Amino acid sequence: MKKYIKEYINEIESKLKGKTTQNDIDDLLIKIKFFSHERLVHLIVMLFVALFTILFIMLSFYNSLFDIIAFISGILLVFYIMHYFFLENSIQYMYKLYDKMKK
């Protein structure tokens, strides 16, 4: 997904150097909606991973077997947060590109 978003942003930036059409603007709006949906799904999954990480950390106080699970889910949570922030920042940058295209 990261590669796809980066390629699409580069494509839009190259179109901004030339003349943009209404079709380009409409296409960007559709892609923003798709990426926003992806962002929402990742937010929900990230929140559940965070919830389970907290749960496993609390359970690890009672049974040491949950230490490994808490550690693995903590690592997964870190990567989900990094990916979510990439999605968030990319979509906000697309908003700015959209504003530039409309001018």
Side-chain angles (χ1 to χ4, degrees):
M1 181 55 84
K2 283 185 178 184
K3 182 180 176 185
Y4 182 70
I5 290 174
K6 287 178 183 179
E7 288 174 354
Y8 186 71
I9 287 175
N10 289 336
E11 179 184 330
I12 294 301
E13 287 173 341
S14 67
K15 285 182 181 179
L16 277 172
K17 293 176 183 174
K19 185 173 178 165
T20 58
T21 62
Q22 184 63 36
N23 192 21
D24 294 332
I25 295 171
D26 294 339
D27 186 46
L28 178 61
L29 282 177
I30 291 170
K31 294 286 185 174
I32 287 173
K33 288 179 186 177
F34 287 153
F35 293 140
S36 294
H37 182 264
E38 182 83 15
R39 178 180 61 177
L40 177 64
V41 169
H42 278 282
L43 175 65
I44 293 169
V45 171
M46 184 183 65
L47 290 176
F48 275 109
V49 170
L51 179 69
F52 283 118
T53 301
I54 292 169
L55 177 70
F56 290 137
I57 289 171
M58 292 172 62
L59 288 173
S60 69
F61 291 125
Y62 298 108
N63 191 345
S64 62
L65 295 174
F66 287 105
D67 287 340
I68 297 169
I69 299 171
F71 179 73
I72 292 171
S73 64
I75 291 172
L76 182 65
L77 179 63
V78 168
F79 283 108
Y80 255 115
I81 290 171
M82 289 170 37
H83 184 68
Y84 178 76
F85 275 105
F86 171 78
L87 288 173
E88 181 71 31
N89 292 333
S90 297
I91 292 172
Q92 287 182 8
Y93 184 66
M94 284 184 206
Y95 293 156
K96 292 177 184 177
L97 290 175
Y98 172 74
D99 290 338
K100 287 180 184 178
M101 286 180 100
K102 284 190 70 171
K103 289 183 182 179

